[in-house]
Amino acid sequence: MVKNSFISVIPQEEKKENKGSVEFQVFSFTNKIRRLTYHLELNKKDFLSQRGLRKILGKRQRLLAYLSKKNKVRYKKLIGQLEIREPQTR
């Protein structure tokens, strides 16, 4: 496993101050998602990890929806930093 691909992009001072912030939670969920995705590439039949991945994806999606309603600027900045797509609206 390549450890460098999972290094967090959060500056150290932000880690200490804002562990409860929406941005920090989305960062940590994104890191978990990337680790689980790599794990599932190797272990295709690990259905419990697939379920966990879906739950974490849902949590991150709800947090991003909350942030986009409250503050579009912070939302756009976070999406850009994490290099994730915006969810498509129906």
Side-chain angles (χ1 to χ4, degrees), residues 14-65:
E14 276 189 42
K15 278 187 179 179
K16 294 176 185 172
E17 294 176 8
N18 301 324
K19 287 190 178 183
S21 71
V22 175
E23 287 91 348
F24 183 83
Q25 291 178 36
V26 172
F27 273 123
S28 63
F29 284 145
T30 302
N31 287 335
K32 286 181 185 180
I33 288 167
R34 289 182 178 152
R35 277 197 316 261
L36 276 173
T37 303
Y38 178 75
H39 169 77
L40 287 171
E41 287 175 2
L42 299 176
N43 305 291
K44 295 186 186 307
K45 294 196 175 191
D46 189 355
F47 300 113
L48 290 176
S49 291
Q50 287 178 8
R51 181 176 185 263
L53 177 62
R54 285 193 302 267
K55 288 181 78 158
I56 294 172
L57 283 169
K59 287 180 184 180
R60 184 179 75 174
Q61 185 178 7
R62 286 191 299 272
L63 281 171
L64 286 172

Side-chain angles (χ1 to χ4, degrees), residues 72-83:
K72 277 285 194 196
V73 175
R74 285 173 44 196
Y75 172 76
K76 293 285 187 185
K77 181 180 174 188
L78 184 63
I79 294 291
Q81 282 181 337
L82 292 177
E83 299 173 357

